[in-house]
């Protein structure tokens, strides 16, 4: 681990907090949600431990701030991908592609998410389950729309479909850290989307606007 050494200048409080939160995210990605401390953040930021405590008084405050950043990031990805004037299949593929890309573009954010998702016995688990319900709710709206438009089977269980689909996104993120090939990632994206669309994997999928 390479500490981020910054000049000991007097930053505006909001700038300093943002800097410390960025360092905290990196520390949580490296050490895990259950083990990262104020000391890890201070080392990365090049400040004293009391300086970190002045912005995040307790470890609970630090954990809440970091997980809040991850929650906001995931909600933005899911809502922006599944919303807008897209077809149902196009929306689903867009989010699958973005899940795969997020692990490359924001690895610390995704590492914290993956670690958080495994903390079944941790105090943060209820918070994670609440986040998961928010994500499922967004996905369920897309599947319900698909049923209304007749592009999804009338018998589709939208709750089950949302769980299956978002679980696939979780797997896509894991694959990036396992150095999966691009063809493997693309094959899983196609399978995830076509499985919830009740189509065959050979069915052509719409192109995704990556801009």
């Amino acid at each position: 681990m390479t500490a981020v050494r910054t000049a000991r200048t007097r930053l505006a409080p909001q700038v300093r907090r943002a800097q410390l939160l960025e360092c905290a995210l990196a520390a949580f990605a490296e050490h895990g949600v259950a083990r990262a401390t104020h000391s890890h953040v201070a080392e990365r930021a090049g400040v004293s431990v009391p300086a970190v405590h002045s912005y995040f008084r307790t470890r609970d405050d630090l954990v809440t701030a970091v997980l809040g950043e991850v929650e906001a990031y995931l909600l933005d990805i899911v809502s922006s991908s599944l919303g807008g004037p897209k077809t149902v299949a196009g929306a689903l593929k867009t989010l699958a592609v973005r899940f795969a890309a997020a692990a490359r573009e924001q690895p610390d954010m995704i590492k914290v998410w993956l670690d958080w998702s495994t903390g079944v016995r941790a105090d943060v688990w209820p918070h994670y389950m609440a986040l998961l319900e928010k994500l499922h709710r967004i996905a369920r709206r897309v599947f319900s729309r698909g049923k209304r438009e007749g592009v999804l089977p009338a018998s589709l269980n939208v709750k089950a479909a949302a769980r299956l689909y978002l679980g696939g996104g979780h797997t896509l993120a894991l694959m990036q850290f396992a150095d999966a090939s691009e063809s493997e990632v693309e094959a899983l994206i196609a399978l995830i989307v076509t499985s919830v669309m009740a189509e065959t994997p050979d069915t052509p999928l719409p192109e995704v606007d990556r801009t």
Side-chain angles (χ1 to χ4, degrees):
M1 186 270 291
T2 302
V4 178
R5 297 295 177 183
T6 57
R8 298 282 183 113
T9 55
R10 185 177 293 277
L11 300 177
Q14 65 272 24
V15 176
R16 176 66 78 188
R17 187 182 188 280
Q19 177 215 21
L20 293 176
L21 191 52
E22 182 178 355
C23 291
L25 186 64
F28 274 60
E30 179 179 358
H31 299 284
V33 175
R35 295 173 296 280
T37 66
H38 286 73
S39 296
H40 293 134
V41 179
E43 183 179 3
R44 285 183 171 273
V47 301
S48 66
V49 174
V52 182
H53 277 282
S54 68
Y55 287 89
F56 308 100
R57 294 185 60 189
T58 67
R59 188 173 184 282
D60 284 346
D61 292 338
L62 188 62
V63 171
T64 297
V66 170
L67 297 187
E69 288 291 293
V70 175
E71 177 174 359
Y73 178 74
L74 291 173
L75 286 171
D76 177 66
I77 283 183
V78 173
S79 60
S80 62
S81 296
L82 297 184
K86 306 181 188 77
T87 64
V88 171
L92 295 176
K93 186 180 179 185
T94 296
L95 180 54
V97 170
R98 290 190 67 187
F99 267 135
R104 299 188 303 270
E105 298 166 358
Q106 294 284 347
D108 288 345
M109 197 78 73
I110 300 304
K111 285 178 182 178
V112 175
W113 169 43
L114 295 176
D115 182 58
W116 185 13
S117 72
T118 64
V120 179
R121 296 183 180 180
D123 293 339
V124 297
W125 185 246
H127 185 179
Y128 182 75
M129 293 304 293
L131 168 60
L132 203 57
E133 172 56 27
K134 292 177 184 177
L135 299 176
H136 284 166
R137 192 180 304 129
I138 296 170
R140 289 198 296 266
R141 288 199 291 265
V142 174
F143 291 118
S144 295
R145 175 166 71 90
K147 292 177 68 171
R148 291 194 304 271
E149 294 175 354
V151 297
L152 293 176
S155 60
L156 180 71
N157 184 310
V158 296
K159 288 187 177 181
R163 289 179 181 274
L164 174 65
Y165 174 67
L166 291 176
H170 193 276
T171 300
L172 283 167
L174 284 171
M175 288 177 68
Q176 297 300 318
F177 295 117
D179 295 324
S181 67
E182 185 174 348
S183 62
E184 289 175 315
V185 171
E186 289 177 352
L188 182 58
I189 289 173
L191 185 60
I192 290 171
V193 177
T194 54
S195 63
V196 295
M197 292 292 294
E199 299 170 348
T200 64
D202 293 332
T203 301
L205 292 174
E207 292 297 321
V208 173
D209 182 0
R210 298 173 184 266
T211 60

